[in-house]
Amino acid sequence: MIRTADQPRMATSRRVRRTLAAFVVAALLTAGCTLPAFAPRTEVEGAAAPTGSAPSWRPCPEVADELVGRGAPNVRYECARIAVPRDWGTGGGASTGPGAGQTFEIALLRARSTKQRDRVGSLVINPGGPGGSGVDTAVYLSFGPQFGGLPASITERFDIVGFDPRGVSRSSPVKCISDADLDASFGFDPDPASQSAFDGFVGLSQRIGRGCGDRYGDQLPLYGTEQAARDMDAVRAAVGDDKLTYLGYSYGTLLGATYAQLYPQRVRALVLDGAVDPQQRLVEGSESQARGFERAFTNFTRWCAANAGRCPIAPDARAAVTSAIDKAKVSPVRGADGREATAGWVFYAVISSLYTESGWQELAQAIDKLAEGDPKDVFRLADAYAGREDDGHYSNLFDANLAINCADETEKPSREQIRQLQSEWRGKYPLFGPALAVGMLSCVEWPGGRDPYPTGKANGAPPIVVVGTTGDPATPYEQTPRLASMLGVGRVLTWEGEGHTAYPQTSCITNAVDAYLLDLTVPPEGKRCPAR
């Protein structure tokens, strides 16, 4: 798959950050506040409460201050930590394997409106990735719909609780890939055609895998999804809810689906937005993404042709983007700081822009400026996707992403199979197919054992709302009914829009999801919401 399984709410968080940045700059202009591409991670301090005991919550307005420059109006932020077993064992019982007797610390943030009334409980959030920070996302979503956040009907009835899953950001983070290797990985030719170039990517993947294996050894499988889903039940208990109310985006739908299978009787309401099909394996999932991104890119090119005044690379946007990548393979444009916009960086700027329809114009402008010798916007888009800061340092998003994805994955196609798929998918999905095929090497060369998640019915769970977007590139819409069907209690809600994930983008989607979260009113069978 493309570096991340889906890069779910990172794109949405990026949109929220851009909107909030304008707001913060306007409101706090004299202080010179702006939002960095990736804000620093404030540690959630304090001793971790043991599993099953009540955590000690403390005020933490500094998290919002560092992420956004200020907190949302009428919102209090509190943080806590809980300790969970590194290995929950079979069925959640005691384990004697790697990590037995040891714990991970899980960081929590609770955003509570000062206008809260008739409280329902806590709405637990996961933004996807895997590797996205739920703590950060809870802050972003607390700012309300005018800034891309949750509606007041939700924030005034629920505590919004974000948690960083094990290995992610503030929760015993995995960090084992150097900034130099991440630069090399993102900058690598997305379609290494020659055997020597392909072997070069194999070698890079092996080096990354060895580094992580040397650091974490036989505990690498402990970062998998089933373990994290069991942590979620500890989060539910920590916030004092008898049953879980949950909003999961993209990879977060897989986490929620796994929870529903493990603890069906403890589900109150789950919204799974940007559905991942848990039953698809590595090759099938990678091809699904290749198809989804190709479809989204085609939609972008059609928009470009119909909106030439806003798209400087019209009328043939596909040719312009393809040409930019091809030129970058032989003579990459050098930025003011000496960094080269190689084919990989241009490719990831394209990927980044397809997560939201609002990113289409940014992509067109970035490619146009690149042709004029200015790669700044290409780097801005790609760096936002990669989690690369201005100083060249990376968050642990992709360390965690690999650790989680590869712990989950049991399928390991051979290098020869991947090489063949690279050729086949180049014909079927010319811009994205080769990269999705070659990207599978990251898990193929990953060390350690595997810990696959369950893929069955959520017998005994109440109806679960599964939301899909017809133009979604990262979790293509076809996966939505498959997840709903697998669970057996899924109810599909469709948004006929573009980009990755749907809630709360339109009133139709928002009203349907709010009614379910607040009153457990399940959307009618087959409900579809128009793009606008």
Side-chain angles (χ1 to χ4, degrees), residues 309-322:
R310 299 166 61 195
C311 180
I313 59 174
D316 193 346
R318 180 176 287 273
V321 170
T322 301

Side-chain angles (χ1 to χ4, degrees), residues 189 216 266 272 331 395:
D189 185 345
Y216 296 102
R266 298 178 191 172
L272 309 181
S331 57
S395 70

Side-chain angles (χ1 to χ4, degrees), residues 134-500:
V135 168
D136 292 1
T137 303
V139 171
Y140 298 135
L141 293 179
S142 72
F143 273 80
Q146 64 270 44
F147 307 117
L150 295 173
S153 57
I154 297 299
T155 58
E156 292 179 7
R157 300 288 302 282
F158 288 94
D159 296 338
I160 308 305
V161 175
F163 72 102
D164 291 349
R166 56 173 58 201
V168 173
S169 194
R170 305 168 182 83
S171 293
S172 301
V174 173
K175 192 60 185 167
C176 54
I177 309 176
S178 70
D179 291 339
D181 279 345
L182 284 166
D183 267 351
S185 184
F186 281 104
F188 212 92
D189 185 345
D191 183 11
S194 71
Q195 188 61 45
S196 62
F198 180 85
D199 290 343
F201 194 75
V202 171
L204 176 59
S205 300
Q206 289 175 330
R207 183 166 73 244
I208 289 171
R210 279 195 304 270
C212 293
D214 289 346
R215 182 156 190 178
Y216 296 102
D218 58 4
Q219 293 199 26
L220 280 175
L222 300 181
Y223 294 100
T225 295
E226 181 172 344
Q227 297 280 356
R230 295 190 185 281
D231 295 343
M232 278 175 56
D233 200 51
V235 171
R236 174 201 58 77
V239 298
D241 287 355
D242 293 332
K243 295 189 176 184
L244 178 70
T245 304
Y246 173 77
L247 171 61
Y249 293 102
S250 204
Y251 164 78
T253 69
L254 178 60
L255 198 55
T258 303
Y259 183 92
Q261 293 170 76
L262 297 174
Y263 305 106
Q265 304 294 339
R266 298 178 191 172
V267 170
R268 176 185 173 272
L270 304 186
V271 176
L272 309 181
D273 185 358
V276 173
D277 176 9
Q279 294 177 308
Q280 65 183 8
R281 301 317 322 157
L282 182 60
V283 171
E284 184 184 1
S286 296
E287 183 171 12
S288 175
Q289 278 198 320
R291 185 184 305 112
F293 275 102
E294 201 72 47
R295 180 168 55 203
F297 185 74
T298 297
N299 292 343
F300 156 70
T301 63
R302 290 171 178 165
W303 169 86
C304 225
N307 295 272
R310 299 166 61 195
C311 180
I313 59 174
D316 193 346
R318 180 176 287 273
V321 170
T322 301
S323 175
I325 293 173
D326 289 343
K327 288 179 181 178
K329 293 182 181 183
V330 294
S331 57
V333 176
R334 188 180 297 272
D337 61 355
R339 183 179 172 198
E340 292 186 339
T342 63
W345 289 114
V346 178
F347 176 78
Y348 281 104
V350 177
I351 288 289
S352 177
S353 303
L354 295 178
Y355 277 87
T356 60
E357 190 173 358
S358 62
W360 292 358
Q361 188 171 3
E362 294 180 71
L363 172 59
Q365 292 171 344
I367 297 298
D368 184 54
K369 288 184 179 179
L370 182 67
E372 297 173 353
D374 181 2
K376 181 174 62 177
D377 285 351
V378 162
F379 284 134
R380 180 178 57 80
L381 290 170
D383 288 354
Y385 179 88
R388 188 184 193 274
E389 297 170 2
D390 291 341
D391 62 1
H393 180 64
Y394 287 81
S395 70
N396 90 315
L397 170 62
F398 283 93
D399 308 69
N401 180 271
L402 275 177
I404 296 165
N405 276 335
C406 299
D408 287 345
E409 186 54 66
T410 57
E411 185 178 38
K412 290 187 69 171
S414 68
R415 296 171 199 160
E416 293 72 24
Q417 286 175 300
I418 289 174
R419 188 75 167 136
Q420 180 61 38
L421 289 171
Q422 179 189 6
S423 177
E424 290 178 8
W425 292 357
R426 187 183 296 121
K428 296 168 70 174
Y429 322 106
L431 190 56
F432 302 95
L436 265 301
V438 173
M440 290 187 286
L441 287 167
S442 298
C443 274
V444 168
E445 303 297 340
W446 189 256
R450 301 294 193 262
D451 184 21
Y453 46 76
T455 55
K457 303 289 186 186
N459 292 322
I464 294 170
V465 173
V466 184
V467 187
T469 301
T470 56
D472 193 323
T475 52
Y477 179 76
E478 293 81 0
Q479 298 188 44
T480 300
R482 292 174 192 160
L483 174 58
S485 176
M486 186 203 79
L487 291 172
V489 292
R491 178 66 60 85
V492 171
L493 174 62
T494 300
W495 183 41
E496 296 171 337
E498 299 292 339
H500 187 40

Side-chain angles (χ1 to χ4, degrees), residues 22-80:
F23 166 74
V24 171
V25 171
L28 303 173
L29 187 59
T30 56
C33 294
T34 58
L35 284 173
F38 262 76
R41 296 290 190 256
T42 301
E43 290 300 318
V44 179
E45 298 175 355
T51 305
S53 62
S56 177
W57 294 92
R58 67 164 188 87
C60 56
E62 68 277 5
V63 179
D65 290 344
E66 290 195 3
L67 287 171
V68 180
R70 55 158 292 178
N74 304 309
V75 174
R76 293 194 304 267
Y77 301 99
E78 297 174 299
C79 293

Side-chain angles (χ1 to χ4, degrees), residues 89-126:
T90 303
S95 168
T96 58
Q102 298 175 287
T103 60
F104 285 131
E105 290 193 354
I106 305 300
L108 312 177
L109 179 140
R110 179 169 65 191
R112 176 177 288 175
S113 172
T114 59
K115 297 182 177 181
Q116 191 177 94
R117 56 183 175 77
D118 300 326
R119 181 179 178 274
V120 177
S122 296
L123 176 61
V124 177
I125 305 287
N126 181 271

